[in-house]
Amino acid sequence: MKALVYNGPGQRSWREMPDPVIQDPEDAIVRVDAVTICGTDLHILKGDVPTVEHGRILGHEAVGTITEVGDGVRGVTPGDRVLISCITSCGRCEYCRQGRYGQCLGGGGWILGHLIDGTQAEQVRVPFADRSVYKLPDNVSNESALLLADILPTSYEVGTLAGQVSPGDTVVIVGAGPIGLAAITTSKLFSPSSVIVIDSAPARQKAALDHGADLVFGPDDDVVATIKDLTGGLGADVAIEAVGVPATFELCAQVIRPCGRVANVGVHGAPATLHLEELWIKDVTITTGLVDTSTTPRLLSMLAAGRLAMPGLITHRYGLDEMQDAYDVFSRAGETGALKVALFSDESKDLEA
């Protein structure tokens, strides 16, 4: 099969790799019908995730069709169309029994495209299939389902829920990339009084407004002073960091009010300064986290019922064999205007049409 392979920092190749095979009774082999690229993949290519070995197939978000299952798989069968979650779960360890699948101790967690070969390929082996893939309703397209593999549950769990967004809150989202845009959608499920987005790129500022942001600011604005003016001198109730660089985390800490919540979602590859000399007296809560995907069934039900939509989030579409082109466009999002890219197999393109 063909696959996108990490060859070390700054190096990737689309090349032939061995087909995956069943290694454990709980495995499933999935033909990849649709796949996307995550900002985390770009962090890996920058060398920010040293646990990823050279020769690893990248990717942790996909939709596909089951082609083979191990003897221990009970919930899916060959021919089923499924969502492949970015998180796998053994279902037995202490953390999985608490629903904290991202911290799985039994061989799961974030392993696809990280510790084992991932989804940016024509086929993928998915461990713990009964708890790591989800059958898709007929009325949910492959393209829509892709957004539930990582981006929507991540923004919902690590941003909106961890930040405890509540009715009437002022929510500030720093970063209007895919996660930031998804955070607008998921935070608005809780009726905040205003959602304010900060981003440096004009195209992403416009995208934030299109996705429901009430106000958008850029790097030339005095963001801290403006947000305090808008909130009676207090600051934001919730600040969601959706970029993963020191400056954006530090900005979240600056705009938050006493007793506010900072929810860090971004993947960081460099240290950020935590100004405890300013924060210690403010009763501020700071959360970090890896998505658990415990809310994926809920989000899938909402999507199927027409209660959740992400219009315009996927801006570029490719064939699976155009993976290198898709990476080039996605990695230059500031120039290309790419938000989320989607790649489809020939079989999937026929179905989507």
Side-chain angles (χ1 to χ4, degrees):
M1 70 173 183
K2 287 287 189 71
L4 193 286
V5 180
Y6 172 67
N7 301 314
Q11 301 179 63
R12 65 178 193 264
S13 58
W14 176 251
R15 58 186 173 91
E16 292 284 346
M17 292 290 285
D19 290 343
V21 296
I22 297 290
Q23 298 180 22
D24 183 275
E26 295 186 81
D27 287 350
I29 305 298
V30 183
R31 183 193 74 210
V32 174
D33 296 328
V35 67
T36 186
I37 302 170
C38 180
T40 302
D41 298 319
L42 300 184
H43 279 283
I44 292 171
L45 284 165
K46 291 177 183 176
D48 291 345
V49 189
T51 46
V52 179
E53 298 177 346
H54 297 191
R56 176 70 64 227
I57 297 172
L58 296 185
H60 51 267
E61 306 167 82
V63 170
T65 302
I66 300 284
T67 60
E68 185 181 359
V69 296
D71 292 340
V73 176
R74 297 289 181 267
V76 290
T77 59
D80 286 343
R81 189 171 64 102
V82 296
L83 166 70
I84 301 173
S85 175
C86 65
I87 299 294
T88 61
S89 164
C90 79
R92 294 180 285 267
C93 72
E94 178 179 354
Y95 285 116
C96 285
R97 290 168 70 87
Q98 297 172 21
R100 302 301 302 272
Y101 309 131
Q103 304 301 322
C104 177
L105 299 172
W110 173 40
I111 57 173
L112 288 170
H114 177 208
L115 304 180
I116 68 171
D117 287 335
T119 59
Q120 290 169 7
E122 294 175 328
Q123 300 179 71
V124 60
R125 177 181 72 92
V126 181
F128 308 118
D130 280 333
R131 292 170 297 279
S132 306
V133 301
Y134 301 87
K135 286 187 191 179
L136 291 174
D138 291 340
N139 69 331
V140 173
S141 70
N142 289 347
E143 180 168 311
S144 296
L146 269 181
L147 302 176
L148 295 187
D150 182 352
I151 182 173
L152 273 172
T154 293
S155 67
Y156 185 54
E157 295 174 16
V158 188
T160 298
L161 295 184
Q164 300 177 39
V165 175
S166 301
D169 277 354
T170 295
V171 178
V172 171
I173 299 170
V174 182
I179 287 290
L181 296 177
I184 297 171
T185 297
T186 57
S187 65
K188 288 176 79 71
L189 294 172
F190 293 87
S191 301
S193 63
S194 62
V195 176
I196 300 168
V197 175
I198 304 166
D199 197 281
S200 60
R204 293 196 170 194
Q205 292 175 11
K206 180 181 183 302
L209 292 171
D210 291 343
H211 279 79
D214 298 294
L215 293 168
V216 173
F217 297 112
D220 296 331
D221 298 307
D222 188 347
V223 173
V224 177
T226 301
I227 290 173
K228 285 188 176 180
D229 287 343
L230 291 169
T231 56
L234 294 177
D237 296 283
V238 182
I240 297 175
E241 197 287 327
V243 182
V245 298
T248 52
F249 173 81
E250 292 162 21
L251 179 58
C252 285
Q254 289 179 291
V255 301
I256 203 69
R257 69 173 63 195
C259 303
R261 287 90 64 194
V262 175
N264 182 88
V265 186
V267 177
H268 289 263
T273 300
L274 180 63
H275 288 283
L276 286 176
E277 77 280 8
E278 299 172 4
L279 294 174
W280 73 270
I281 201 170
K282 294 176 68 175
D283 293 350
V284 170
T285 298
I286 299 173
T287 59
T288 66
L290 176 65
V291 65
D292 293 311
T293 65
S294 57
T295 64
T296 299
R298 180 189 312 169
L299 294 170
L300 182 56
S301 294
M302 293 172 67
L303 184 64
R307 296 291 186 263
L308 189 66
M310 296 294 293
L313 188 58
I314 292 177
T315 55
H316 294 70
R317 295 165 182 82
Y318 299 90
L320 197 58
D321 59 353
E322 298 175 296
M323 184 71 71
Q324 291 283 38
D325 293 336
Y327 259 95
D328 288 339
V329 167
F330 186 64
S331 64
R332 296 183 293 109
E335 304 168 38
T336 64
L339 295 175
K340 198 73 172 168
V341 301
L343 302 95
F344 300 92
S345 69
D346 291 339
E347 294 88 346
S348 180
K349 281 189 287 187
D350 291 341
L351 288 172
E352 295 284 328

